[in-house]
Amino acid sequence: MTGKSTSSETIYNRIAMLRVERGVSRRQLADALGVHYQTIGYLERGEYSPSLYLALRISEYFGVAVEVVFSTAPFPRIGGSEQSA
């Protein structure tokens, strides 16, 4: 068998981390993007996947590549196990 089905097409994101890091409220981000502030909460909790357009706008807002904000796999925890070279 191929193509094991996952529960859904989950999109992981770092929106909350970027917002906190930059001191931006959900409402400020929503206003800048032209969406309802609750949409930002839904995105952060993974309850809503953004359109490609919205994902690109969020990335542009934070000044980072879209891959920094969004992923199809969970992001590794920051400050996790440290590896020495």
Side-chain angles (χ1 to χ4, degrees), residues 30-62:
D31 289 347
L33 299 172
V35 299
H36 194 277
Y37 75 93
Q38 288 181 326
T39 300
I40 303 302
Y42 294 141
L43 288 167
E44 290 179 352
R45 292 187 300 274
E47 295 172 8
Y48 171 73
S49 293
S51 66
L52 177 57
Y53 180 75
L54 182 55
L56 291 169
R57 298 239 359 256
I58 291 168
S59 299
E60 289 169 2
Y61 177 86
F62 289 117

Side-chain angles (χ1 to χ4, degrees), residues 14 73-80:
R14 290 180 166 152
F75 287 103
R77 291 185 59 94
I78 295 175

